[in-house]
Amino acid sequence: PTAASLLGSTSTHFPQTHEKISDPKDTPYFIDNEFRLSQSKNFILVHDPATNNLVTRVPMMTSDELQLAIESAQNAFSSWSKTSIIARQQIMFRYVSLIKENWDRLAASITLEQGKTFADARGDVLRGLQVAEAACAGPEYMKGEILEVAKDMETRTYREPLGVIAAICPFNFPAMIPLSCIPIATITGNTMVLKPSERDPGAAMILAELAEKAGFPKGVINVVHGTHDTVNFLIDSPVIKAISFVGSNKAGEYIFTRGSATGKRVQANLGAKNHALIMPDCDKEAALDAIVSAAFGAAGQRCMALSVAVFVGESRQWLDELVQKAKTLRVDAGFEHGADLGPVVTPESKARIESLIASAQVEGAHILLDGRGYKPEKYPNGNWVAPTIITDVRQSMQCYKEEIFGPVLVCVNVDTLEAGIDLINGNDYGNGAAIFTSSGAVAEKFRRNIEAGQLGINVPIPVPLPMFSFTGNKKSVAGGGASTFYGKPGVNFYTQLKTVTSKWSSASIVPTKAVLSMPTGS
Ligand code: NAD
């Protein structure tokens, strides 16, 4: 079957509207460059978060189907890994241009299944597209090193692909995270089995369709579905050589441990609690705007969302202005023009967020702005939580300790920069942190002393572009963050170094007797 017959045409399966789909199609899987319908009897229902209308059913794929996907990637590896890097680069160029051509279609699938606004969904696609663009520099990344280490002797390194990679993705960036993996894994000569989030697989299916159009041979990129059982199947397969995981701590720590135990490479980016320090000397308007955007954008469902505002000294007096700015945000369905933030992903997620807000109240914090109970008139059935600001929060409170992953900003007051730094370093997570200040000395002190992987200085969400790498720290990564996504470290993760030392001597210097002691260089 063609992609169009299974995925539906652009205008029917991924319409830029929240109207009820009369005939929702099941999401197919993708093996050997073909879309196929699963024989599974078990499905996960995906609903539009703005309406809770059914969008698609995602199969819990059978073991036989999963095994076929792994075998497809395994079969493709021997020829793909030997395909010249220049040929792989040409395919990546085409992939980049096809993603650009399908940008709105990808974004529409994200808005429909994940809920974020269409403008923000376009940003989700862009951040993934940029990784594919950077991967076009694969020939540069894959170059080895060479050195003449002794007379007639040289050592050189080669980068070789690992084999079959499994990528396990979260719901919050349906295009960006698959694209954090696909381009780097494939340009380096690996093949893949990718599992998108069961909550919003649409963008990954379009990316699979575009991969086939770009010229990736069959089996290089396969897409499978399911939840825990599918992930366990991938982790336990001896064919899989490395696992790229992005998601929660609960899943990621488990996957890291189980995957590492079977000798696989595992990179895992996990949860977060990102703090912003607001110094009294900062540009107040710019800082408050940045915090509102970084706390409530994507309804707070970004791993780099700013979820804790730390007011230092006098800046605590700006709280009311922060609340006023947050009140101006329009919470609406993602395709509505002018929507600033959409719904959260599922009713369960809404219930969890609301219970964390309630726990703050019980524990003695103050809800300065309460987003519970909000409903846009046109969309009464969506998973709505409007911007919420909680003050007088203490470190012992549940709302401070846990990742809320919703449009909720918790606010803490401290008296000094040093106290703010201690507070941030005392938190278990270390994905990102930001400071707002006009002082270079203050910014420098922050930079030197903060134990978080990605810092913003007057920048609220400092996600590195793909010529750098995504460098979380502490509990926000598994395995101490030794393996990071994209950039040169991403290429390291997906390749094995081979080091060759060779000697080509002229006949006159060939020793007549074997030397058994280790060479000392003399
Ligand atoms: P999740 O952990 O629930 O799911 C992620 C993936 O793991 C999904 O594909 C899911 O099917 C699978 N999974 C879930 N539980 C599993 C288990 N017990 N065993 C095996 N597989 C399992 O995460 P989510 O809710 O989709 O995503 C939100 C989380 O991801 C947040 O914690 C967020 O901070 C994190 N995240 C982190 C980054 C980062 O770069 N640090 C980026 C995006 C999202």
Side-chain angles (χ1 to χ4, degrees), residues 160-488:
E160 297 186 343
L162 303 178
V164 182
I165 311 291
I168 299 154
C169 306
F171 83 86
N172 64 328
F173 283 105
M176 183 182 87
I177 304 280
L179 285 171
S180 299
C181 307
I182 295 171
I184 311 286
T186 55
I187 194 79
T188 49
N190 299 285
T191 59
M192 301 187 72
V193 179
L194 183 137
K195 192 196 88 63
S197 169
E198 63 278 12
R199 289 184 253 173
D200 46 23
M205 300 321 296
I206 299 175
L207 289 171
E209 179 198 316
L210 302 181
E212 189 269 327
K213 286 204 174 105
F216 281 99
K218 65 180 191 176
V220 174
I221 298 167
N222 301 283
V223 182
V224 299
H225 301 293
T227 56
H228 306 33
D229 290 345
T230 297
V231 171
N232 286 337
F233 196 92
L234 295 176
I235 303 178
D236 293 345
S237 165
V239 173
I240 305 282
K241 296 291 181 253
I243 301 165
S244 297
F245 172 84
V246 181
S248 65
N249 281 72
K250 190 170 170 232
E253 285 163 13
Y254 159 76
I255 288 168
F256 183 86
T257 306
R258 186 158 169 167
S260 304
T262 56
K264 295 176 172 53
R265 293 186 182 189
V266 186
Q267 54 178 186
N269 280 357
L270 313 177
K273 197 81 181 175
N274 307 306
H275 294 57
L277 272 192
I278 303 132
M279 301 301 293
D281 69 352
C282 73
D283 176 338
K284 182 177 77 175
E285 290 302 319
L288 294 182
D289 284 342
I291 289 163
V292 164
S293 119
F296 304 122
Q301 299 170 116
R302 293 178 180 141
C303 63
M304 285 290 283
L306 280 182
S307 49
V308 185
V310 184
F311 291 91
V312 181
E314 294 302 299
S315 69
R316 71 189 59 171
Q317 291 168 5
W318 304 342
L319 254 176
D320 284 341
E321 280 168 80
L322 185 74
V323 169
Q324 291 316 316
K325 282 184 188 286
K327 273 185 177 167
T328 66
L329 297 177
R330 184 166 147 209
V331 185
D332 211 337
F335 289 125
E336 293 291 333
H337 291 292
D340 290 306
L341 59 143
V344 297
V345 67
T346 55
E348 294 74 30
S349 181
K350 171 183 152 95
R352 196 183 49 78
I353 294 163
E354 289 183 340
S355 85
L356 280 163
I357 299 172
S359 79
Q361 228 162 359
V362 171
E363 291 183 289
H366 292 105
I367 318 290
L368 214 54
L369 181 64
D370 193 343
R372 288 173 294 179
Y374 172 82
K375 280 181 190 171
E377 214 175 307
K378 229 172 118 183
Y379 302 95
N381 300 324
N383 313 318
W384 304 106
V385 184
T388 298
I389 297 180
I390 308 177
T391 60
D392 301 319
V393 170
R394 289 190 310 278
Q395 280 162 282
S396 57
M397 293 179 180
Q398 210 188 343
C399 70
Y400 179 79
K401 289 191 291 191
E402 275 186 39
E403 181 182 42
I404 300 177
F405 225 56
V408 180
L409 180 67
V410 305
C411 300
V412 186
N413 298 330
V414 294
D415 292 329
T416 61
L417 170 65
E418 290 74 16
I421 291 173
D422 286 348
L423 177 90
I424 296 175
N425 288 345
N427 193 278
D428 286 344
Y429 293 103
N431 222 23
I435 189 165
F436 295 90
T437 180
S438 59
S439 159
V442 166
E444 185 56 11
K445 185 163 186 173
F446 176 83
R447 196 271 302 168
R448 282 181 192 279
N449 291 290
I450 288 290
E451 294 160 5
Q454 306 173 108
L455 303 187
I457 296 170
N458 298 318
V459 173
I461 302 194
V463 174
L465 286 172
M467 55 293 279
F468 294 94
S469 197
F470 193 99
T471 55
N473 195 357
K474 293 162 71 180
K475 211 176 138 183
S476 296
V477 282
S483 301
T484 57
F485 284 68
Y486 59 76
K488 283 185 200 151

Side-chain angles (χ1 to χ4, degrees), residues 121-157:
R122 294 191 88 253
D124 186 330
V125 177
L126 173 64
R127 278 310 178 92
L129 171 65
Q130 287 169 331
V131 178
E133 287 172 335
C136 291
E140 193 59 34
Y141 283 128
M142 289 294 276
K143 283 198 305 206
E145 292 179 315
I146 182 164
L147 182 70
E148 285 186 299
V149 290
K151 186 166 169 34
D152 297 325
M153 187 181 280
E154 66 175 32
T155 298
R156 64 170 78 206
T157 59

